[in-house]
Amino acid sequence: MLVGAWTAWWWIDSAVTCDQQDEYSYHGFCLMELQRRAESGDNPAQWAYGNYLAGIPPFDQAYDWHLKAMHGARIGLELRRSMDAYCDKVPGFDARTVESVMQRVVRTSPDAHLRLFQLYLSPPPCSAFSLDQASAQIPLLTQCAHLTLAEYFRAVERERYTLSAATRAAIRGNLDRCENELAHPPPEAPTVREFMPLQPNDIEALRRSLDKTAP
């Protein structure tokens, strides 16, 4: 009797605390609902369910769900950074495939250019790394990319890469966008953005990095 009561309480508690659970702590009703949504094709649920399964060896199921989520992506927000992390490490996430999916999505979701920018800065073993390709994404960005630009400048210095006049102009344009976003924060919208908020010193640091690349 006590076991049955405890089970019932645990089940009810899991249902009413869904908003306090995440993909690493789902249980009971919430876990079943997450699985149902993933199986019905809900893209965020597929990523989240894969994250949940990533804690359960041998991890193959997690990769399978993330693979489904990647190929089912339709908007920029459905392109997760784990795609970069898996690049050329996990079967199905070879650089060419990841790049192809992002290029498909960006045709109708321009905010996804930030994801391509990040992919082209991925360190080995990801073979997508290309400062030429990364540079080509900068004028296409639809948001301030302060964190990724900082990563870009580190790669530029490491590779002793020479910035073209057009790329330098595109960077200045993005920094102007950053200043505008700092003064007038854009409304909350379901678009790809950097994961940490912009700070005034971020812009100053990026302008100094740009000055250091002057020919």
Side-chain angles (χ1 to χ4, degrees), residues 49-124:
Y49 190 50
N51 288 343
Y52 166 79
L53 292 171
I56 305 174
F59 315 122
D60 291 353
Q61 288 188 74
Y63 298 148
D64 288 345
W65 279 107
H66 284 167
L67 205 55
K68 288 180 183 178
M70 179 180 73
H71 284 290
R74 294 292 178 271
I75 61 174
L77 280 177
E78 294 173 348
L79 301 172
R80 302 297 177 91
R81 284 306 302 265
S82 53
M83 293 166 60
D84 303 8
Y86 287 167
C87 177
D88 286 337
K89 295 179 185 175
V90 175
F93 288 89
D94 57 282
R96 187 180 296 276
T97 298
V98 174
E99 180 185 31
S100 176
V101 170
M102 290 186 178
Q103 289 175 337
R104 170 179 59 77
V105 173
V106 82
R107 294 186 198 120
T108 53
S109 189
D111 59 315
H113 280 289
L114 179 60
R115 289 287 184 253
L116 272 170
F117 187 28
Q118 293 163 342
L119 175 68
Y120 293 134
L121 294 174
S122 298

Side-chain angles (χ1 to χ4, degrees), residues 14 16 18 32 38 42 45 50 54 58 60 69 72 76 88 104 126-128 143 160 166-167 181 215:
S14 77
V16 300
C18 285
M32 291 184 65
D42 182 295
D60 291 353
D88 286 337
R104 170 179 59 77
C126 182
S127 58
Q143 65 282 87
R160 299 184 179 182
T167 297
E181 289 189 9

